[in-house]
Amino acid sequence: MRFIGNLIWLVLGGLEIAFAWFVVGLVLCVTIVGIPLGVQSFKMAQLTLTPFGKHVVYGGSVGSLLLNIVWVVLVGWWMALGYLIAGVLNCITVIGVPFGIQSFKMCKLALWPFGTTID
């Protein structure tokens, strides 16, 4: 089921969104200051490429907390809002519920990415 969910996800837009996250990560890594943000963009690209069967583990230190606060203020809130809207729209139909759940998982990661790992 994981393979089928990921395949449908990729066909219906996951590949394009993952590519966009990858490009954003490359652009952010051009400057030294942007490298931590670029790494988080690569993390989002990894989860967006094949979200079914992956789990996000939250943790981190005080440094991660401070970086997450900066992230939320600058970009996290509107990215999370986009994933939240996509999740709600996916959950309107029974068929879309698994995809909505994956959107909610990405919503939380888009809001608070520092200090997380993807298993």
Side-chain angles (χ1 to χ4, degrees):
M1 290 308 292
R2 202 176 2 188
F3 175 76
I4 294 170
N6 283 326
L7 184 64
I8 293 170
W9 181 271
L10 286 173
V11 170
L12 295 179
L15 188 61
E16 291 85 3
I17 296 171
F19 180 73
W21 274 114
F22 182 75
V23 170
V24 167
L26 287 177
V27 170
L28 286 170
C29 285
V30 170
T31 65
I32 293 174
V33 176
I35 290 175
L37 301 175
V39 170
Q40 302 314 307
S41 295
F42 292 141
K43 191 182 296 181
M44 287 298 300
Q46 177 189 0
L47 184 62
T48 303
L49 193 57
T50 54
F52 289 91
K54 291 188 179 173
H55 302 282
V56 181
V57 180
Y58 292 90
S61 62
V62 174
S64 297
L65 174 67
L66 296 174
L67 288 170
N68 276 324
I69 291 170
V70 172
W71 176 273
V72 167
V73 170
L74 295 178
V75 296
W77 69 271
W78 60 266
M79 292 182 346
L81 181 64
Y83 280 116
L84 180 67
I85 292 169
V88 169
L89 291 176
N90 278 316
C91 287
I92 289 175
T93 65
V94 173
I95 295 172
V97 169
F99 301 100
I101 292 170
Q102 300 310 312
S103 294
F104 294 141
K105 180 178 12 177
M106 286 183 271
C107 173
K108 187 175 178 184
L109 182 63
L111 189 63
W112 209 254
F114 287 93
T116 61
T117 57
I118 299 174
D119 295 333

